[in-house]
Amino acid sequence: NPGKVREINGILSAPASTGAPAHLELVSLEQFPGLVEPEETGATFAENARLKALYYAEATGLPSVADDSGLEIDALDKAPGVHSARWHGTDYAVKFRKIYELLRERGANGSPARFVCHVALADRGRILFETTGIIEGEVAPEPRGTNGFGYDPIFYYPPYGCTLAELDLE
C-alpha cells in the first residue's frame, strides 16, 4: 500500500524520536516485480498480518513487516472489518456511499467506530514481533479532508475534532 509506505517512511525519517536505526532502509513490494500477493484467508487482522509477513519473508529472503488493518463500525456489526480493503470494491467513494446508505437504513446518523491495525514482523519462518493498535472514534457525518488514504476522510477522531484526513502527517 503506497499510502502506508509513505507514512512509515515519514516515521522512520525521524530515528531519534522512534528509536529506529538511522541506517534502516525500507523497501516495498515495488522492488520485487512479479511477486504475487498471498490470499488473505485469515478471519482476523492478526491472522492476515502473520500470514503476509511470513509469506513475504520467505519470498524475499528479507525480514518482512506486514499489517492488516481496517475500519470497524459498530452500527454495521463491525463491518467492513477484516474485509475493509476489498469491501464493495476498491473505489473509496463507493465504499463511503455504501456505509452512509447502510447507516441510514439502520437509523444511525453516525456510529462509534475504530481503526484496528495488527502488525507482524517475520524472518526465517518465525514471527519475531507483533502488536495491535486501535484508535477509537466515530463515523463522520460526511467525508472531509484530503490527507491520509482509505477510510481516513470518514473517520472522525474526537480528541482532535476532525477526521484523520484533515490531519497532517505530523
Side-chain angles (χ1 to χ4, degrees):
N1 181 313
K4 290 178 184 177
V5 171
R6 186 175 53 253
E7 288 183 352
I8 293 168
N9 273 325
I11 293 166
L12 293 177
S13 69
S17 64
T18 64
H23 63 278
L24 186 65
E25 178 186 357
L26 178 68
V27 295
S28 72
L29 294 178
E30 291 175 351
Q31 280 81 27
F32 299 93
L35 182 60
V36 178
E37 295 181 27
E39 187 174 345
E40 296 181 32
T41 56
T44 67
F45 296 115
E47 289 173 3
N48 283 333
R50 285 184 210 117
L51 78 84
K52 289 188 289 186
L54 289 165
Y55 171 83
Y56 289 125
E58 174 71 22
T60 65
L62 296 171
S64 296
V65 174
D67 85 289
D68 196 35
S69 59
L71 179 64
E72 294 181 338
I73 301 171
D74 289 355
L76 303 182
D77 302 320
K78 299 204 176 169
V82 73
H83 306 289
S84 290
R86 294 159 301 285
W87 189 77
H88 291 278
T90 57
D91 182 334
Y92 279 87
V94 171
K95 294 174 189 262
F96 298 166
R97 283 193 298 275
K98 188 63 177 177
I99 286 169
Y100 289 117
E101 174 188 318
L102 290 171
L103 288 173
R104 279 191 306 277
E105 286 175 6
R106 294 178 184 210
N109 291 333
S111 173
R114 72 208 42 81
F115 270 118
V116 177
C117 178
H118 191 89
V119 176
L121 168 64
D123 191 24
R124 298 183 186 123
R126 299 185 355 233
I127 297 295
L128 304 177
F129 175 82
E130 61 184 317
T131 190
T132 298
I134 298 172
I135 182 171
E136 296 284 346
E138 57 194 59
V139 176
E142 62 187 15
R144 292 194 320 254
T146 57
N147 298 328
F149 59 94
Y151 292 96
D152 290 351
I154 68 164
F155 187 82
Y156 180 80
Y157 186 55
Y160 288 171
C162 62
T163 68
L164 294 185
E166 294 174 295
L167 296 173
D168 58 26
L169 186 58
E170 290 79 34

